[in-house]
Amino acid sequence: MILRLKFDARTTRKPVISIATLETKALINILRADVGAREGEMIVEVDDEKVKEVEEVLKRYGVEVQELGEGIVKDDSKCIHCGLCISVCPMEVFKFDENWRVVLDPKKCIHCGFCVRVCVTQALTLYT
């Protein structure tokens, strides 16, 4: 399960990811992080069977937790299969199939939005 974590000034000073890992014995994979002195946001991946426990611990320490859904969706009627999304995606969500058409695996998506910003036909939508 992919989670978006939002921190405020109180929680950026606490090792909440470490605390959640120790308390739940869950592996938490940080996919993306932008944490400053006053606020922060992380996208993390947690095993489905441990996600509720991890959410409880994080919320107890003041972290806003949001489960992220499907990720990226492609409108095939708009896509021109140019491959720009392939070139910018850090998680290799997109690839060309044997017919040189862009296909995707939305489960790999970390909701960074790079592909949405470069898509010239606006064929991509990021669901949160």
Side-chain angles (χ1 to χ4, degrees):
M1 172 72 61
I2 306 289
L3 304 175
R4 174 181 286 134
L5 311 178
K6 291 190 177 185
F7 304 85
D8 61 16
R10 292 175 307 139
T11 53
T12 57
R13 293 188 179 93
K14 297 177 185 171
V16 292
I17 300 297
S18 297
I19 292 167
T21 298
L22 291 170
E23 285 190 23
T24 64
K25 299 191 181 358
L27 296 177
I28 301 172
N29 185 22
I30 300 171
L31 301 173
R32 192 179 76 192
D34 181 18
V35 180
R38 295 195 174 268
E39 64 182 7
E41 181 176 297
M42 284 187 182
I43 304 294
V44 299
E45 183 177 27
V46 180
D47 287 332
D48 289 344
E49 54 274 353
K50 293 279 191 173
V51 73
K52 292 300 177 196
E53 291 177 67
V54 170
E55 284 184 33
E56 286 176 21
V57 171
L58 292 171
K59 287 177 182 178
R60 194 169 69 232
Y61 283 90
V63 177
E64 181 184 324
V65 180
Q66 177 188 12
E67 291 183 8
L68 296 179
E70 187 171 320
I72 200 76
V73 176
K74 179 170 67 86
D75 182 344
D76 283 320
S77 69
K78 292 181 178 179
C79 183
I80 59 173
H81 306 280
C82 65
L84 280 174
C85 53
I86 295 171
S87 69
V88 299
C89 181
M91 299 304 294
E92 299 180 348
V93 170
F94 305 91
K95 67 179 180 179
F96 285 119
D97 67 9
E98 62 279 352
N99 297 315
W100 291 99
R101 296 182 59 81
V102 173
V103 294
L104 64 141
D105 181 355
K107 291 184 173 115
K108 291 181 176 181
C109 181
I110 61 169
H111 299 249
C112 67
F114 293 149
C115 58
V116 173
R117 289 192 288 277
V118 300
C119 184
V120 295
T121 63
Q122 299 178 336
L124 300 172
T125 305
L126 187 62
Y127 284 95
T128 57

